[in-house]
Every structure is written in structure tokens, then in C-alpha cells.
Amino acid sequence: MEPGRLHFSWISSAEATKFAETARAVVKMVKAVGPSQHFLKKQAEVV
Amino acid sequence: MQGYTERIQEAARRLLVDKQVDVVIGFRKGTVPLMNEPFLAKNVDQVRQLYWDGNCGMNLANYLPKRTDRIGIVAKGCDSRNIVIHLLEYQIKREQLYILGAPCRGMIDRRRILASLEGKDPSSAEEKDGVIKVVGSDFEVTLDRQEYLQENCSICIHRNPVIFDELLGEPVPEQQNVDRYPDVNQVEAMSPEQRWVYFENLTKTCIRCYACRNACPLCFCPTCFVDESRPQWIGKSIDPTDTRTFHFLRAYHVAGRCTDCGSCERSCPVGIKMRQFTKKMEKDIKELYGYEAGVIADQRPPLDTYRPDDPQQFIK
């Protein structure tokens, strides 16, 4: 997987601001990486 | 190593006659050369079928989970480590087991021998003093045993059983200064895209027979995630996405538990090198937690316990 697509964070239920900030940051970073090219299953490839 | 055959038979007979165990798990000679099969001797008459040589690569710990009887089991270094893991994961109780430890000099890679014969069909093979004599109807070759070890055996650093009730022979010297991860280092040095291609090619030939899972002593879940249909985690086709998901997930399931016994690769009918996945896990666990699976009998595996100093740089 490309770096920047997977993020981990520890946020308490009391930390609403941190949650919102993290969510925005993650969305921004994943958008920057672009649509995933892997782990897509379009149609069963029968060989 | 063949000397163990007599010792195993003697011990099995004794254990069964004394009613110390209900079954002895070992190997018997297979029906084709260079292949032995796991065998459960349940009475004294069956004891003479027990056999041992360099073709006993399968991991016998695979036959232990959830058994309720008393078991005698022949264990190489790797089998014994998997027994430790079974004990830690509550799959079997120590009181049920009588472990016949087999110090091991590595098991033979049958595939490489067959490849070296270039299509000729062996009718028998015999080991003696560090060489393997392979005989067919119109040929006879002598091979250096050390050259034809299974890959995982040639880099093994735990040849002697870690737990046992009785040893079948003198402990063997452990291999020193082994570089266990040259191939993993190579993959780590690749870019994400190169790595993707590498893994894609690695699993390309997979027919999803699950022989690797079935041969693995760690895969004892009542229902494997690949067999589950509610919810269905993974498609059952040989679509590359499904195949890849299977191999990646299986590798993660054995993280911190895999002893690199090589049963998965040995059992694969198409010769996929899935130890490339499990070895990376093994290396990470060693580097991050300083832990080797199944070596210390009373240490919880790092992934089923919490320590305040666990590495957590990846959490933001």
C-alpha cells in the first residue's frame, strides 16, 4: 500500500476537536494520494 | 537421523503398553520416495510403521489442537515451538503430552531434488552420513544432504526441541551467524509499486486449495475467515484480488506466532513461496518486540498482551 493511505489515531470520546481535525487531515492526505489502484475487484478474471 | 526410527518405535511401544498415552503421533514411510506422511499410532501393532528420516518436514503440532486424549508426539525444534504456542493459546494441556524431542539437522527439500533429476523418476532414496542416494530404474545419484535442505531449515537457529520429556538423540549444534532475512531485506528495499508487482507475481499461480492453511499448526480456528459466508470476508474465486487478500490476511494471522517451520511452502502444490510473507512478520516482531515465537514457554506472545513500552509511533 502506498504511504499516506493508512492512518492510525487514538482519540478519546471527549476530544471532539481532535476528532474533527484528524478526520479533515486524513481526508486531505488520502485525496492527495488519489484513488486506489489496488484491491479493486472489477469483474472475476477467468483465465 | 534414521537412527531415530528405532528410538521412536521403542518409546512408542513403551508409552502405549504402559498406557501412558492413547496415541503416538509420528511419521510413517510414504508411498513415494522422499515423502513421509504423518501417522497416528493408536496401538502396539501400529508402532512398527513409525519411521523417521529427512523427509519428515510436516509440522506434527498441527494434529494437537483440541484433542482430549493423552498424546505422545515426536517433535523437531520447530514442532516443539509450535507445541509451546499451542500451550500458550490453550489448545492443549501440557499434562496430555509426552514429547519425544528430535534434535534435527534439517529436512530435505524434495522439490529441489526432483528438479535436479531433470524429469527422471526416482524409485527410492536413502540417507546416510550426510548424503542422499537417489535411485531410479536407469540411474543412481548421490547428493550432498546439506545442499538440499528446505530453505527454512538451512536458516534455522532452533534445531533442538525447546520442550520435551525425552530426547531421541544427542542435541545437535545450533547454526551460528545465520542471516535469516536477506530476501526480506531485498523486498523492504523496493518501492511500494515494485513490491506490489513482486507480491502479485509471487501469488499468481495460487489455486486457492488452502493446503498451506491446512498444513499450518497455527490455523486452528473453528471457521477460517476464507470459509465464512456470513459475512463473507473474501471472494472464493481465483480473482487476483481474492487470492492476494487470502495470502496477506493469512500472513497477518500468524504474526508473532509463526515459527518458520515451512509446512505451508512444503505443502503448496504449485510451489508458492509464502514464507516471504510470514518471514517479514517474524522479522518485525523480532525487531519491535524482541520476541521469537514459541521459544520461551511462559512468555505471552507480544500481540496478545500489553506493555506500556509497546512501540506505537504509528498512532498519531
Side-chain angles (χ1 to χ4, degrees):
Chain A
M1 200 181 295
E2 316 89 307
R5 193 175 290 289
L6 184 65
H7 300 267
F8 293 91
S9 194
W10 175 263
I11 307 170
S12 151
S13 58
E15 297 175 303
T17 341
K18 185 181 174 191
F19 176 78
E21 275 166 15
T22 312
R24 277 192 206 103
V26 168
V27 168
K28 206 172 150 196
M29 282 185 277
V30 174
K31 270 189 179 163
V33 182
S36 175
Q37 302 301 316
H38 302 313
F39 279 109
L40 296 176
K41 194 172 161 189
K42 292 155 197 144
Q43 220 173 4
E45 284 176 36
V46 183
V47 189
Chain B
M1 287 246 277
Q2 256 146 336
Y4 290 169
T5 302
E6 280 170 32
R7 292 287 309 271
I8 291 170
Q9 292 187 0
E10 178 272 316
R13 195 169 291 118
R14 170 163 41 85
L15 293 171
L16 286 166
V17 168
D18 295 349
K19 299 211 182 308
Q20 234 180 308
V21 302
D22 303 306
V23 59
V24 175
I25 306 181
F27 283 90
R28 70 174 164 194
K29 222 167 164 29
T31 48
V32 290
L34 299 166
M35 288 266 260
N36 292 335
E37 58 186 359
F39 177 60
L40 279 69
K42 291 186 174 165
N43 58 51
V44 180
D45 295 338
Q46 292 174 331
V47 164
R48 62 192 161 79
Q49 294 185 56
L50 287 166
Y51 183 74
W52 191 269
D53 64 11
N55 303 299
C56 297
M58 299 312 291
N59 195 324
L60 293 179
N62 196 20
Y63 298 91
L64 292 179
K66 302 187 179 74
R67 282 193 82 95
T68 50
D69 48 358
R70 293 163 308 157
I71 307 146
I73 181 167
V74 184
K76 309 181 284 291
C78 47
D79 304 49
S80 76
R81 287 170 67 194
N82 276 103
I83 292 174
V84 167
I85 293 176
H86 281 331
L87 295 171
L88 288 170
E89 296 180 346
Y90 310 112
Q91 293 304 306
I92 196 89
K93 293 197 185 89
R94 184 65 181 95
E95 311 81 88
Q96 283 173 267
L97 298 177
Y98 191 92
I99 304 167
L100 301 167
C104 171
R105 289 185 184 274
M107 289 293 154
I108 299 170
D109 188 343
R110 166 179 165 271
R111 284 206 183 90
R112 288 223 310 282
I113 291 190
L114 293 184
S116 79
L117 298 177
E118 292 165 340
K120 285 178 286 186
D121 209 14
S123 54
S124 73
E126 205 185 319
E127 276 175 69
K128 215 174 183 183
D129 309 324
V131 295
I132 313 162
K133 202 168 88 179
V134 186
V135 184
S137 55
D138 55 348
F139 70 94
E140 187 183 316
V141 286
T142 309
L143 305 166
D144 181 3
R145 188 178 192 282
Q146 202 61 26
E147 298 280 305
Y148 286 91
L149 288 186
Q150 278 186 185
E151 244 174 64
N152 63 309
C153 297
S154 61
I155 55 162
C156 175
I157 48 172
H158 293 286
R159 293 180 147 182
N160 293 299
V162 291
I163 48 166
F164 53 82
D165 295 292
E166 174 178 331
L167 271 186
L168 296 165
E170 288 299 310
V172 296
E174 294 290 359
Q175 306 196 98
Q176 303 295 329
N177 304 323
V178 183
D179 181 9
R180 283 188 58 76
Y181 308 109
D183 41 358
V184 180
N185 290 335
Q186 229 167 9
V187 177
E188 281 175 0
M190 295 178 187
S191 72
E193 209 47 44
Q194 283 174 316
R195 226 176 285 162
W196 186 264
V197 174
Y198 175 76
F199 287 140
E200 192 113 307
N201 288 332
L202 200 66
T203 56
K204 204 165 53 184
T205 49
C206 180
I207 55 172
R208 295 282 293 282
C209 67
Y210 304 137
C212 47
R213 175 200 65 183
N214 292 358
C216 180
L218 301 169
C219 285
F220 51 69
C221 290
T223 309
C224 176
F225 74 99
V226 297
D227 297 327
E228 190 105 61
S229 54
R230 280 186 186 186
Q232 183 159 345
W233 305 108
I234 170 178
K236 294 182 191 299
S237 69
I238 52 164
D239 183 282
T241 303
D242 294 332
T243 303
R244 189 182 299 143
T245 310
F246 164 62
H247 282 283
F248 290 178
L249 266 179
R250 200 188 83 81
Y252 275 102
H253 286 182
V254 303
R257 308 165 66 219
C258 177
T259 59
D260 200 29
C261 73
S263 287
C264 46
E265 275 190 13
R266 192 183 171 93
S267 61
C268 180
V270 294
I272 294 173
K273 296 198 170 300
M274 57 279 270
R275 281 176 48 250
Q276 293 288 296
F277 298 119
T278 49
K279 262 175 88 184
K280 164 69 177 156
M281 298 291 141
E282 183 199 296
K283 177 170 180 272
D284 282 355
I285 294 287
K286 203 168 176 178
E287 285 174 358
L288 293 170
Y289 302 93
Y291 179 84
E292 276 182 295
V295 175
I296 302 171
D298 51 3
Q299 188 183 357
R300 294 306 307 173
L303 295 188
D304 86 355
T305 185
Y306 171 75
R307 269 184 255 123
D309 59 346
D310 279 347
Q312 51 177 13
Q313 299 89 322
F314 61 95
I315 300 177
K316 281 187 218 101

